[in-house]
């Protein structure tokens, strides 16, 4: 049995995924370098390997899926691309390099975190197997109102609260389904901030992580310095977020079942069945909303097609010469000798030859 | 009133679809095996299938090698007893080809009726037919496992290439990489996806414009045992195998004969694989060999006989 481990930290963005990744990193797991640079939205850093973010961005573009995507079929679109052999070869080769780098530092244990990762877990699982590594998954949980509020605050309001709530339900239920049957754990962001030692110790045992199990006092002290409870800056309720009652109910039920999964022994057949029912209910609700808004979708598609046509026409027009844009009848009024001199001045003389007969080619 | 009454009036083998019974299909994927004497293959075939799909239906058609018992035993070993249903279909079924053509579609002897009867027992929203000699790779099982739930958002057909592996002995095999052998396996359940009679065998219908997903190559091998002489029962005289519908069979004959005659290297696209000591060739090819090979695995070429016909 190989001692290679890879822990995928997944879940919705703004749910403490960075805090979990950073904690595991501080305890000795290797975060592939370079990482995405910290900014005001995540002052302690993201714990996200830049290579992984770039790869996921590319795959999301190719599969026409966005990071927060509310469409139930987004899982199929992203999943279909996950089987691509070329992508698998790239990811497995990259993982091999990362395991080698981690082994040089100490133990071959990686932590890979990116909120986009949930879409491609089939890909990561298969590639880890190619590297003879054991995969495990930590799904971070945070109440939906806080996630939506935090996204509205830090990512802007380009997506409304309804869209973000729908995308959260889709992401969380899909992540639960995608990690089912695998070595996995659900951790509440609140628990991590309140007393990180309990959930993280449990992960070390459940996933057999040498980095966590053999952490020294200095590492543990460093995590205490790293975790800053004041980072949980957004605490909202439904009163702050205008979402229709039906979606709100579904989001609440989703939160309740996920919250139960975080309890010791809570990952039961019964809760998984509830997740299945919620996923079906969400797909039905989404399908209805999609059908309801079909006229808007079609109107946008027509407008987009019109814009694309106009852009193509303008691009084609831009590539023609000024003379070409003068109507033929007008050009024909210019005497032949003058046309010849004009062409010569513009450096567009025609080659002489038999094809230069009268009425041949554009004037 | 059944949807398809059997011609022979055997009501136990009439076909009544779940939607006619008013039974709601649950989200999921059921794998349907129609098998006869596959006891030898099932220990390789069933475990990856159990890891991939929600339910497995094995319909035993007059096996005398303990196929059904082996299926139950493997399910138990996989901890999947509650996800296995074994049914018995006691009627002799017409062979593909002329025998099939001569058999009315609603006869219990018809492949068409047999398939409809088998699939009428599926209770999930998707079903897949699978042969008792097809071994999924671990990566193939993983992809199918994901698809089993991801497909629920749409109604699509899934096609997968397969690669025939002729097992010479425990450590040696010849893999046919000349053709993709691409066939649709996974279909949604519903009145638009039932079986009708074609010339040589049955055909699963689907509505025009249905979405089609094609999986990558290298996910499935079709096991052929050289010592089983699997093609002995195939009638060759008077059959026009250059017909494109049948050229897959022709290729199989070609490969089988070449290996038997000791000259497989003369057949384009055949690759010899040798397993390390102590590892069975089926395990080696499906678990360790296929994913390591450069892509494309298959470079299309026509069988020699077809090439000659094209030249002529």
């Amino acid at each position: 049995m190989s001692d290679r481990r890879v822990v995928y930290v997944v879940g919705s963005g703004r749910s403490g995924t960075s805090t979990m990744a950073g904690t595991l990193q501080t305890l000795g797991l290797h975060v592939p370098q370079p990482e995405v640079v910290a900014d005001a939205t995540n002052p302690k850093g993201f714990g996200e390997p830049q290579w992984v973010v770039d790869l996921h961005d590319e795959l999301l573009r190719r599969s026409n899926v966005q990071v927060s995507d509310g469409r139930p079929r987004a899982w199929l679109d992203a999943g279909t691309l996950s089987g691509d052999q070329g992508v698998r070869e790239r990811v497995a080769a990259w993982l091999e390099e990362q395991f080698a780098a981690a082994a040089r530092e100490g133990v071959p244990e990686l932590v890979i975190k990116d909120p986009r990762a949930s879409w491609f877990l089939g890909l990561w699982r298969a590639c880890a197997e190619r590297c003879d590594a054991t995969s495990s998954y930590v799904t971070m949980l945070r109440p939906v109102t806080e996630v939506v509020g935090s996204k509205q605050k830090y990512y802007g309001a380009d997506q409304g609260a309804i869209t973000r709530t729908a995308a959260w339900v889709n992401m969380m239920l899909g992540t639960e389904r995608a990690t089912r049957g695998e070595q996995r754990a659900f951790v509440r962001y609140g628990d991590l901030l309140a007393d990180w030692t309990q959930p993280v110790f449990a992960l070390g045992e459940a996933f057999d992580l040498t980095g966590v199990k053999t952490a020294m006092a200095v590492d543990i002290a460093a995590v205490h310095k790293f975790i800053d409870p004041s980072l949980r800056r957004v605490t909202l309720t439904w009163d702050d977020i205008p979402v229709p009652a039906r979606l709100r109910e579904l989001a609440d039920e989703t939160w309740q079942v996920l919250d139960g999964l975080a309890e010791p022994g809570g990952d039961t057949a019964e809760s998984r069945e509830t997740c299945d029912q919620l996923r079906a209910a969400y797909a039905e609700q989404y399908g209805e909303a999609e059908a309801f808004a079909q006229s808007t979708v079609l109107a946008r598609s027509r407008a987009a097609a019109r814009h694309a046509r106009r852009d193509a026409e303008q691009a084609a027009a831009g590539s023609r010469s000024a003379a070409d844009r003068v109507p033929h009848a007008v050009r024909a009024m210019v005497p032949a000798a003058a046309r010849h001199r004009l062409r010569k001045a513009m450096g567009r003389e025609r080659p002489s030859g038999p094809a230069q007969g009268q009425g041949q080619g554009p004037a | 009133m059944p949807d398809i009454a059997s011609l022979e009036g055997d009501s136990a083998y009439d076909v009544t679809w779940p939607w006619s019974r008013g039974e709601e299909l649950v989200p999921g994927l059921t794998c349907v095996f129609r098998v006869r004497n596959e006891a030898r293959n099932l220990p390789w075939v069933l475990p990856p299938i159990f890891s991939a799909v929600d339910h497995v239906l094995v319909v035993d058609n007059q096996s005398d090698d303990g196929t059904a018992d082996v299926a139950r035993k493997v399910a138990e070993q996989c901890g999947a007893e509650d996800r296995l249903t074994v049914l018995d279909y006691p009627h002799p079924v017409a062979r593909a080809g002329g025998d099939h053509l001569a058999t009315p579609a609603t006869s219990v002897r018809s492949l068409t009726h047999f398939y409809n009867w088998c699939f009428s027992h599926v209770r999930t929203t998707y079903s897949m037919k699978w042969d008792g000699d097809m071994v999924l790779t671990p990566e193939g099982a993983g992809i199918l496992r994901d698809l089993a739930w991801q497909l629920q958002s749409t109604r699509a057909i899934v096609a997968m290439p397969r690669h025939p592996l002729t097992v010479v002995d425990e450590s040696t095999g010849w893999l046919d990489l000349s053709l993709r052998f691409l066939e649709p396996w996974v279909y949604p359940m519903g009145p638009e996806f039932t079986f009708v009679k074609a010339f040589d065998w049955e055909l699963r219908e689907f509505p025009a414009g249905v979405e089609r997903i094609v999986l990558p190559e290298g996910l499935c091998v079709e096991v052929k045992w050289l010592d089983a002489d699997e093609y002995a029962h195939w009638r060759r005289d008077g059959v026009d195998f250059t017909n494109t519908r049948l050229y897959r069979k022709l290729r199989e004959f070609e490969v089988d004969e070449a290996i038997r005659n000791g000259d497989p290297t003369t057949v384009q696209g055949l690759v010899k694989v040798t397993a390390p000591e102590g590892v069975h060739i089926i395990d080696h090819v499906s678990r360790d060999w296929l994913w390591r090979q450069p892509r494309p695995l298959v470079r299309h070429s026509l069988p020699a006989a077809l090439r000659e016909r094209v030249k002529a």
Side-chain angles (χ1 to χ4, degrees):
Chain A
M1 185 73 182
S2 156
D3 58 353
R4 288 178 165 189
R5 303 278 181 276
V6 52
V7 180
Y8 300 104
V9 181
V10 292
S12 176
R14 313 306 300 177
S15 297
T17 51
S18 303
T19 308
M20 176 55 85
T23 298
L24 293 175
Q25 182 181 26
T26 307
L27 293 176
L29 274 75
H30 179 74
V31 171
Q33 300 297 306
E35 291 175 49
V36 174
V37 180
D39 64 17
T41 69
N42 234 343
K44 291 268 188 175
F46 291 85
E48 285 174 11
Q50 186 66 51
W51 190 92
V52 174
V53 173
D54 292 345
L55 171 83
H56 288 158
D57 279 340
E58 176 201 323
L59 298 180
L60 287 172
R61 263 197 314 278
R62 283 171 62 184
S63 52
N64 194 24
V65 172
Q66 59 188 55
V67 182
S68 292
D69 204 313
R71 294 169 306 137
R73 80 155 286 150
W75 293 102
L76 178 63
D77 293 337
T80 306
L81 190 56
S82 287
D84 183 275
Q85 172 74 2
V87 176
R88 289 190 169 199
E89 281 175 353
R90 274 164 65 195
V91 172
W94 180 82
L95 274 176
E96 276 293 345
E97 286 170 23
Q98 304 315 314
F99 280 120
R104 283 195 295 274
E105 282 177 17
V107 286
E109 294 178 345
L110 306 179
V111 55
I112 292 181
K113 171 252 161 175
D114 178 9
R116 302 157 189 82
S118 284
W119 298 114
F120 305 106
L121 291 184
L123 167 73
W124 284 102
R125 187 180 61 223
C127 293
E129 278 170 21
R130 287 186 177 194
C131 297
D132 198 19
T134 304
S135 298
S136 46
Y137 306 83
V138 188
T139 302
M140 294 302 296
L141 304 175
R142 187 182 186 188
V144 52
T145 48
E146 293 186 18
V147 173
V148 172
S150 184
K151 285 187 171 184
Q152 299 288 86
K153 179 174 177 184
Y154 290 106
Y155 298 165
D158 58 316
Q159 279 191 322
I162 298 173
T163 311
R164 286 200 194 282
T165 303
W168 179 86
V169 172
N170 192 37
M171 168 59 70
M172 297 312 292
L173 291 176
T175 301
E176 185 285 321
R177 186 61 188 81
T179 56
R180 201 179 285 181
E182 307 294 330
Q183 192 164 263
R184 68 176 183 177
F186 294 83
V187 176
R188 299 182 196 95
Y189 184 38
D191 290 349
L192 192 66
L193 295 183
D195 177 6
W196 67 269
T197 61
Q198 288 189 46
V200 173
F201 180 84
L203 289 183
E205 295 299 311
F207 299 166
D208 188 26
L209 301 174
T210 305
V212 177
K213 289 162 98 173
T214 63
M216 304 294 283
V218 63
D219 305 322
I220 292 168
V223 177
H224 281 292
K225 288 194 182 67
F226 170 74
I227 292 186
D228 176 1
S230 72
L231 284 178
R232 191 181 185 180
R233 290 171 288 200
V234 178
T235 48
L236 297 177
T237 67
W238 286 120
D239 293 340
D240 308 297
I241 299 170
V243 168
R246 208 169 150 216
L247 177 59
R248 189 169 129 176
E249 247 170 56
L250 195 63
D252 272 339
E253 285 177 43
T254 301
W255 168 253
Q256 279 161 19
V257 69
L258 294 172
D259 192 50
L261 288 171
E263 288 295 321
D267 196 345
T268 61
E270 193 186 351
S271 50
R272 292 190 288 271
E273 197 183 325
T274 306
C275 286
D276 286 341
Q277 289 161 358
L278 288 170
R279 230 176 38 257
Y282 174 75
E284 194 183 330
Q285 204 174 127
Y286 191 90
E288 283 171 16
E290 216 171 20
F292 193 25
Q294 180 74 352
S295 302
T296 306
V297 173
L298 290 176
R300 291 239 170 113
S301 305
R302 287 195 300 270
R306 203 163 48 233
H307 281 130
R309 261 199 314 275
R310 194 183 306 149
D311 289 351
E313 281 165 10
Q314 282 173 356
S319 68
R320 283 188 289 162
S321 70
D324 289 340
R325 273 179 267 149
V326 177
H328 179 265
V330 176
R331 277 180 286 163
M333 289 163 68
V334 180
R339 286 206 303 268
H340 181 70
R341 280 198 299 278
L342 278 170
R343 281 204 196 95
K344 192 172 180 183
M346 291 161 72
R348 296 185 63 206
E349 281 181 284
R350 285 193 174 145
S352 56
Q356 282 281 339
Q358 200 177 10
Q360 303 279 323
Chain B
M1 187 69 180
D3 290 302
I4 309 169
S6 68
L7 190 65
E8 291 79 0
D10 186 346
S11 60
Y13 294 92
D14 289 345
V15 174
T16 304
W17 294 104
W19 44 90
S20 299
R21 293 178 196 272
E23 284 186 49
E24 203 174 330
L25 299 172
V26 299
L29 172 62
T30 298
C31 183
V32 179
F33 288 91
R34 303 96 37 245
V35 285
R36 185 177 188 191
N37 292 339
E38 294 287 4
R40 187 182 199 181
N41 288 324
L42 289 185
W44 273 285
V45 173
L46 281 177
I49 287 290
F50 276 125
S51 80
V53 306
D54 301 286
H55 201 87
V56 174
L57 172 61
V58 173
V59 183
D60 186 20
N61 182 216
Q62 299 187 304
S63 295
D64 55 17
D65 68 346
T67 290
D69 289 337
V70 171
R72 289 189 193 95
K73 193 175 156 201
V74 175
E76 193 187 330
Q77 286 164 350
C78 295
E81 305 100 304
D82 56 336
R83 295 192 290 123
L84 171 71
T85 301
V86 179
L87 297 175
D88 185 41
Y89 194 81
H91 306 286
V93 176
R95 288 192 187 286
D99 193 11
H100 166 77
L101 187 63
T103 308
T106 60
S107 165
V108 291
R109 290 193 61 246
S110 166
L111 274 169
T112 313
H113 193 82
F114 182 29
Y115 272 78
N116 278 326
W117 186 82
C118 293
F119 280 77
S120 71
H121 292 85
V122 171
R123 293 292 177 270
T124 51
T125 49
Y126 272 85
S127 62
M128 60 188 276
K129 76 163 183 172
W130 202 249
D131 294 343
D133 57 1
M134 301 209 317
V135 179
L136 265 180
T137 67
E139 292 197 7
I143 287 173
L144 214 51
R145 184 159 68 239
D146 289 339
L147 277 176
W149 67 273
Q150 291 168 350
L151 279 170
Q152 302 303 326
S153 60
T154 187
R155 283 167 79 75
I157 288 173
V158 182
M160 183 192 283
R162 66 182 190 275
H163 311 293
L165 171 69
T166 303
V167 177
V168 175
D169 56 44
E170 290 218 335
S171 60
T172 318
W174 289 87
L175 200 64
D176 185 0
L177 296 178
S178 71
L179 298 168
R180 277 208 299 168
F181 297 105
L182 182 66
E183 269 189 63
W185 296 100
V186 181
Y187 289 78
M189 285 293 288
E192 295 164 304
F193 300 93
T194 58
F195 293 88
V196 291
K197 186 180 174 187
F199 297 146
D200 309 294
W201 40 67
E202 82 299 333
L203 178 72
R204 194 163 186 179
E205 287 195 298
F206 54 85
V210 71
E211 182 180 357
R212 187 180 160 100
I213 293 167
V214 177
L215 298 183
E217 46 186 10
L219 302 180
C220 173
V221 295
E222 184 180 22
V223 175
K224 311 280 178 195
W225 297 88
L226 196 64
D227 61 19
D229 201 7
E230 300 194 19
Y231 302 101
H233 68 268
W234 270 83
R235 186 170 62 86
R236 304 185 199 195
D237 296 340
V239 179
D240 181 12
F241 282 106
T242 55
N243 181 315
T244 49
R245 282 199 321 277
L246 293 175
Y247 92 176
R248 184 168 63 79
K249 272 286 162 230
L250 175 69
R251 171 72 190 184
E252 288 173 0
F253 292 154
E254 251 189 3
V255 168
D256 186 68
E257 266 174 17
I259 297 172
R260 264 175 218 292
N261 296 338
D263 56 356
T265 50
T266 61
V267 180
Q268 197 187 2
L270 267 187
V271 178
K272 185 180 183 181
V273 186
T274 307
E277 206 182 320
V279 180
H280 196 283
I281 185 65
I282 299 175
D283 292 328
H284 176 61
V285 170
S286 61
R287 292 181 191 169
D288 203 43
W289 190 87
L290 273 171
W291 68 263
R292 294 180 192 276
Q293 302 310 304
R295 297 307 193 259
L297 267 178
V298 174
R299 296 165 206 280
H300 285 261
S301 67
L302 292 171
L306 270 188
R307 281 200 305 276
E308 280 159 23
R309 183 171 170 114
V310 170
K311 274 183 217 159

